[in-house]
Structure formats: C-alpha cells, structure tokens
C-alpha cells in the first residue's frame, strides 16, 4: 500500500492511497475460496468445483465486497500508521478501480486538536447557596392545603363566584349540529381554573343553580382537534349544583393526612425538598462558572465537522421550539439572523468544551460504570411517579436510549472530578439571586447540556410547561 499526503492544513488532512492490483487479486481469491465451500455447481460436489470456474462465475459479485473491505482496512491503517486522532469518520473518494488495476482513493479527515491540560487544582470556584426562608415553607404548606381542600354543597340560593365549582350538564354544537366529545353530565367545573376553552367559564360566573345558559365560544386556532379548531360553538349548559371550597386547617392532623407524624415534621420535609431544588440551582451556577473558566483558559482550533453537526442540532432544536411556541423572551426579541449567528458561536463553544472535558476525563481515567447507568435510569424513573416500571422497561428494551445516557453521565462525572480538585469557596446569597441566571447569559449561553460527539467517542473508547422549563434549564446549565 502506498500513501501520499496531499494536504495538511491545521486539523485537515488529505491522503492519496494506492492498493496494488496483486493485493486486490489475492483478496478476491481469498473471498472465492471462502464461498466455494458452500457452493454447489452442477456435476461437482460442494467445495470440489474448479477454481477457474468459480472465479469466472463469482468474481464480479465478490469484487464489491473486496473493494469495501480493502478501502476500509487501508483507511484504518493510514490512521494507525500516521497516529491520527480523527474527529469524525474519514471521507473517502475512490478515484481508480477495475479488474487487474490498483485501487486508488483519496481520504480526507479532520483530527482532534492537541492541547496541554492546565492544572485544575488551581481553579478557583465560588459556590452560591441560599437558606430556605420560613415564608417559602409556609407558601408550600398553603399550596398543599389549598390543593387538598374539599368542596361542600352551597345550600343558599346565590350566584356562582370565581373559584367556586359548578356541577353542570352540557351539550356542544356547531351550526346546530352536536359534535363528538362535546357532551358531559354532572361535570364539576371550577370557575377560573382555565380547564375549559377561553371564555367558557366566564359566562357561568354570576349564574345560579337551575339556570340554563347558552355559552358561546370560539375554539382556538391551535386546538388539538383539527375539525374544531377556529370554529364558533354553542354549549347548552344547565347548572345542577354549586359547591364552595372548605378551608383546610394546617395542623398536626393535616400533617398526618400527608403521611408525616406532626406539622413540624412536615415543615422539615418541605424544607428538605426545597433545599434539594436550591442545590440543583447552586450546581447549575457552579457548573456554568466552571465551564466559563475552561472556555476562557483554552484557545485552540476545533474540527469544523463537529461544529457543523453541533450547529445543525441547535438549529433543529430552535426550529422545534419555534414551531411549538416555546422560545424564551430573549430569543423572541432577536431576529432569526441574530439567533443563527449566536448559535454558531454556541456550537464552537460546545465542541471546544466537549474536547476539554473529554481530555480531562481521559487524563483522570474516568469511566462509565454499570452502576452509573443504573442510577441514571433510576433518576429518570423518579420523574414519572407511578410509571416507574414503564420507564425501566423502555431502557431494558432500548439500547440506543441507554447509550444516550452515557454522554451526560460522563460529563457530570468529569464536572464532579474538577469540583473535587478545585478550590471551592461558599457564599450565601438570596433565593432571588440564586435563581437569577439572566445576568450570566453570554453569547455562548447554550453550552453543552450533553457532552459533544468527541466526548462520546472518548467515553466509548474507555469502556419535555415541563418541556418548556426543562428546555430553559438546559440552556442555562452551562
């Protein structure tokens, strides 16, 4: 095999490779010998047919396989001999190929950059924390009490108020024709809850038990039932009963109904849960600070192929968010041209940080263990109370989903390693400051929620209001 370097510019490499015709012929013979063992030709026992006959009959069919195998093996040998670290799979272009001819092809690739790791033990980080205010616990208690308030029937003859529940029968129609799914009996509807389409509940405020009301509404343009979207409808509604909420006393008995021994124990449990949320926000700030330091500390060229792939992913996420009206206010305030330019900077930063983190992980010999994956799956299952078995079954049957967990696991283990080695001081701040991420926003605000493809490669070598909020969280996490 002959290899000639055609180009070497920065991270881009290009080679011309030639495989002698004699080597190709030998490979073809080898393939034909393999298939001859299972081929039966008329007049010959399996494996006993003349080689010349087999070659004449099957040479053309094995040539394609030989070409693929030899080009792949030659490409791998070039990478090995030249001690290259490809950022992505090399691109191959076959320039010459034919019977009794050399195979010639050109291969181009980008390599991972070489850079020297700094001393992470000299990194100074500030961990921001907040104490749980008593009023936050009281707010949570009040919310829990209100959510468990029972309703009692109103006996007096009076008009319904916002916040009260009317029990109704209703039939919906469009142009006088009843439509499917527009009928209900003894339906409890809390006025002001927004459970029904806009304008419906408002027309029942001030009505009494026994009243029959024609509620006129227009279905939203983006209504999930396409045959109803944007259409005017009339609901014939009869109010059967009026119910008001009964105040819930927050005391030891209430705490016991929530599974705790006393009110004090319930308050402590609530404070612990809030503290967990604060810790998550604290880590988010700390991680963002850490990544900013790494971004400023390292300056090297990154493979354009990785940047292009990352940029494509960001744009795809943006287009999905735009389609479902999930863009945040800062994005809505910018033109698409501005956003796309910003996303290009973000893609570069993501790739650079992914490479740095990957190198730190490799240097620290950080691996992904089976226990790490099990813990990640457990954490996913906890997000869906009551559906834990379905989550476990999903990961059990879906190897790709398990693979998708490895990159963020790898990244978080590296972040933990850096934090453990760095100089970390603690500072108590207010809850408002803890959750204020806007002031930290920078051009590269959407840095990797997951490790980049380079980090994934290194890891493998070593061994969805919820949707909207989670989307904002991942944008701010780095």
């Amino acid at each position: 095999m002959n290899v000639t370097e055609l180009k070497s510019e920065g991270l881009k490499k290009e080679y011309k490779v030639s495989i002698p015709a004699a080597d190709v012929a030998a490979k073809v013979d080898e393939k034909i010998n393999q298939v001859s063992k299972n081929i039966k030709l008329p007049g010959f026992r399996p494996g006993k047919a003349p080689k010349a006959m087999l070659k004449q009959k099957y040479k053309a069919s094995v040539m394609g396989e030989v070409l693929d195998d030899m080009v792949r093996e030659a490409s791998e040998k070039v990478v090995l001999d030249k001690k290259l670290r490809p950022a992505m799979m090399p691109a191959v272009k076959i320039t010459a190929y034919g019977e009794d001819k050399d195979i010639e092809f050109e291969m181009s690739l980008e390599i991972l950059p070489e850079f020297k790791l700094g001393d992470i033990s000299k990194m100074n980080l500030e961990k921001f924390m907040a104490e749980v205010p008593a009023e936050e616990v009281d707010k949570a208690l009040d919310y829990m009490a209100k959510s468990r308030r029972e309703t009692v029937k109103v006996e007096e003859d009076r008009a319904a108020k916002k916040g009260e529940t009317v029990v109704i029968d209703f039939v919906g129609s469009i142009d006088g024709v009843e439509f499917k799914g527009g009928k209900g009996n003894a339906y409890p509807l809390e006025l002001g809850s927004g459970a029904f389409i806009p304008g419906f509940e408002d027309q029942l405020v001030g009505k009494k038990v026994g009243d029959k009301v024609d509620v006129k509404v227009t279905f939203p343009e983006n209504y999930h039932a396409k045959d109803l979207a944007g259409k005017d409808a009339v609901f014939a509604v009869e109010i059967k009963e009026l119910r008001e909420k009964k105040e819930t006393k927050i005391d030891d008995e209430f705490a016991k109904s929530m599974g705790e021994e006393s009110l004090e124990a319930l308050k402590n449990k609530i404070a612990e849960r809030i503290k967990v949320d604060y810790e998550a926000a604290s880590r988010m700030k700390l991680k963002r600070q850490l990544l900013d330091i790494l971004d400023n500390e390292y300056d090297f060229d990154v493979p354009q192929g990785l940047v292009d792939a990352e940029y494509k992913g960001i744009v795809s996420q943006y287009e999905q968010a735009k389609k479902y009206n999930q863009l945040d206010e800062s994005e809505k305030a910018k033109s698409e041209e501005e956003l796309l330019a910003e996303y290009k900077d973000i893609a570069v930063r993501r790739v650079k940080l992914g490479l740095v983190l990957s190198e730190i992980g490799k240097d620290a010999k950080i691996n992904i263990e089976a226990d790490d994956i099990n813990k990640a799956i457990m954490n996913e299952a906890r997000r869906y109370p009551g559906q834990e078995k379905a989550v476990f079954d999903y990961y059990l049957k879906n190897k790709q989903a398990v693979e998708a967990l490895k990159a963020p696991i790898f990244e978080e283990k590296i972040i933990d390693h850096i934090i453990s080695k760095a100089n970390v001081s603690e500072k108590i701040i207010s809850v408002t400051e803890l959750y204020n991420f806007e002031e930290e926003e920078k051009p590269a605000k959407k840095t990797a929620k997951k490790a980049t493809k380079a980090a994934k490669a290194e890891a493998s070598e070593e061994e969805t209001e919820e949707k909207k909020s989670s989307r904002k969280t991942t944008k701010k996490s780095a």
Side-chain angles (χ1 to χ4, degrees):
M1 181 178 77
N2 297 315
V3 180
T4 305
E5 186 174 84
L6 299 178
K7 183 199 286 187
S8 180
E9 296 177 358
L11 302 177
K12 295 180 179 179
K13 304 288 183 183
E14 195 171 309
Y15 300 92
K16 180 180 179 179
V17 183
S18 176
I19 304 173
D23 293 347
V24 178
K27 192 73 171 179
V28 170
D29 287 345
E30 181 186 330
K31 286 285 183 183
I32 289 176
N33 287 336
Q34 288 174 2
V35 300
S36 67
K37 297 174 184 178
N38 300 314
I39 291 176
K40 184 177 181 180
L41 293 180
F44 299 95
R45 286 180 296 159
K48 297 300 182 180
K51 187 175 180 181
M53 185 180 292
L54 289 170
K55 195 169 185 179
Q56 183 181 11
K57 187 174 179 63
Y58 293 104
K59 183 177 180 180
S61 62
V62 301
M63 283 297 284
E65 187 178 345
V66 167
L67 177 65
D68 289 342
D69 288 349
M70 297 200 79
V71 169
R72 174 177 50 78
E73 290 168 4
S75 299
E76 290 173 354
K77 192 172 189 314
V78 171
V79 169
L80 190 64
D81 291 348
K82 301 290 184 181
K83 297 180 181 179
L84 304 174
R85 297 172 64 210
M88 301 177 75
M89 286 289 292
V92 173
K93 179 184 177 183
I94 297 173
T95 55
Y97 168 62
E99 189 171 351
D100 300 325
K101 291 183 178 180
D102 293 351
I103 293 175
E104 293 182 358
F105 67 91
E106 294 177 358
M107 63 178 286
S108 56
L109 70 159
E110 285 186 290
I111 60 173
L112 295 175
E114 299 287 344
F115 56 90
K116 185 178 179 181
L117 286 178
D119 187 352
I120 58 177
S121 67
K122 295 180 180 179
M123 185 181 291
N124 296 313
L125 299 171
E126 194 168 30
K127 182 178 180 180
F128 298 105
M129 301 183 299
E131 301 293 342
V132 180
E135 57 265 28
E136 285 297 315
V137 176
D138 292 338
K139 283 181 186 177
L141 267 175
D142 187 55
Y143 176 81
M144 291 166 66
K146 284 180 178 178
S147 66
R148 292 176 66 88
R149 277 162 66 180
E150 297 177 350
T151 61
V152 293
K153 184 178 179 180
V154 176
E155 299 294 347
E156 63 179 299
D157 181 26
R158 66 168 177 79
K161 303 173 185 176
K162 213 166 196 177
E164 294 181 329
T165 297
V166 289
V167 180
I168 59 174
D169 292 345
F170 61 90
V171 178
S173 61
I174 294 176
D175 296 330
V177 180
E178 183 180 333
F179 56 86
K180 186 178 179 181
K183 186 175 183 179
N185 292 309
Y187 188 94
L189 175 63
E190 181 182 336
L191 301 181
S193 65
F196 278 21
I197 59 177
F200 190 104
E201 295 164 25
D202 294 340
Q203 296 177 56
L204 298 181
V205 174
K207 306 302 180 184
K208 296 182 178 181
V209 173
D211 284 353
K212 294 182 179 180
V213 186
D214 283 341
V215 175
K216 299 177 181 179
V217 293
T218 300
F219 282 96
E221 292 291 342
N222 61 347
Y223 194 65
H224 62 86
K226 300 299 182 185
D227 56 328
L228 301 178
K231 293 185 178 180
D232 295 329
V234 177
F235 285 85
V237 179
E238 182 177 358
I239 300 177
K240 311 293 286 186
E241 188 177 300
L242 176 62
R243 303 184 69 84
E244 63 182 352
K245 290 178 179 177
K246 179 183 177 182
E247 289 298 325
T248 301
K249 189 175 181 182
I250 300 176
D251 54 13
D252 287 342
E253 288 304 312
F254 172 72
K256 288 176 183 177
S257 73
M258 299 296 293
E260 298 297 331
E261 294 182 357
S262 65
L263 180 59
E264 191 62 31
L266 178 58
K267 286 183 175 182
N268 290 337
K269 179 63 72 69
I270 292 171
E272 287 172 11
R273 289 175 183 171
I274 295 174
K275 191 69 175 175
V276 169
D277 290 339
Y278 287 4
E279 282 291 335
S282 176
R283 180 180 173 83
M284 200 181 296
K285 275 185 171 292
L286 186 62
K287 180 178 175 180
R288 174 58 189 272
Q289 183 187 153
L290 181 157
L291 293 176
D292 282 345
I293 291 173
L294 292 178
D295 186 33
N296 291 328
E297 183 177 345
Y298 292 91
D299 184 20
F300 52 81
D301 291 335
V302 294
Q304 190 59 44
L306 290 180
V307 173
D308 291 343
E310 196 67 52
Y311 176 69
K312 184 178 178 181
I314 296 171
V315 172
S316 175
Q317 185 184 35
Y318 159 73
E319 288 173 346
Q320 281 291 101
K322 184 179 179 182
K323 180 179 177 181
Y324 294 105
N325 196 28
Q326 293 179 335
L327 295 176
D328 61 33
E329 293 305 316
S330 65
E331 289 170 316
K332 290 177 182 178
K334 296 176 182 177
S335 68
E336 186 162 273
E337 185 180 1
E338 287 178 294
L339 285 174
L340 293 179
E342 182 178 302
Y343 294 157
K344 285 184 180 178
D345 291 337
I346 291 166
V348 172
R349 174 176 157 118
R350 280 190 178 185
V351 171
K352 182 172 78 168
L353 287 174
L355 293 172
V356 172
L357 290 175
S358 175
E359 201 64 27
I360 292 173
K362 186 177 179 180
D363 183 67
K365 296 181 173 57
I366 294 173
N367 296 312
I368 299 173
E369 310 292 346
D371 190 49
D372 297 322
I373 295 174
N374 292 335
K375 285 179 180 177
I377 294 174
M378 287 289 291
N379 289 335
E380 280 294 304
R382 289 192 191 100
R383 294 177 56 205
Y384 303 94
Q387 301 178 52
E388 290 87 351
K389 186 178 183 303
V391 174
F392 291 135
D393 287 345
Y394 171 74
Y395 282 104
L396 186 64
K397 298 173 183 176
N398 194 330
K399 290 183 179 180
Q400 286 186 331
V402 174
E403 285 298 314
L405 290 174
K406 289 184 178 181
I409 291 172
F410 184 56
E411 181 179 285
E412 291 306 313
K413 289 189 75 171
I414 297 168
I415 295 296
D416 286 338
H417 169 73
I418 296 172
I419 292 172
S420 71
K421 299 292 183 182
N423 303 307
V424 183
S425 59
E426 297 180 350
K427 181 180 179 181
I428 301 297
I429 59 176
S430 69
V431 177
T432 302
E433 290 174 301
L434 183 64
Y435 282 94
N436 181 15
F437 295 96
E438 297 303 322
E439 64 183 18
E440 300 174 10
E441 294 290 345
K442 295 186 179 183
K445 65 179 181 178
K446 294 184 181 178
T447 309
K449 65 178 178 181
K450 296 180 179 179
T452 61
K453 291 182 180 178
K456 292 180 186 178
E458 293 288 354
S460 62
E461 284 173 11
E462 291 292 335
E463 48 126 30
T464 353
E465 182 69 27
E466 184 177 346
K467 287 184 180 178
K468 186 174 180 181
S469 62
S470 66
R471 182 173 177 272
K472 288 183 177 179
T473 299
T474 55
K475 286 195 299 180
K476 299 177 190 303
S477 67

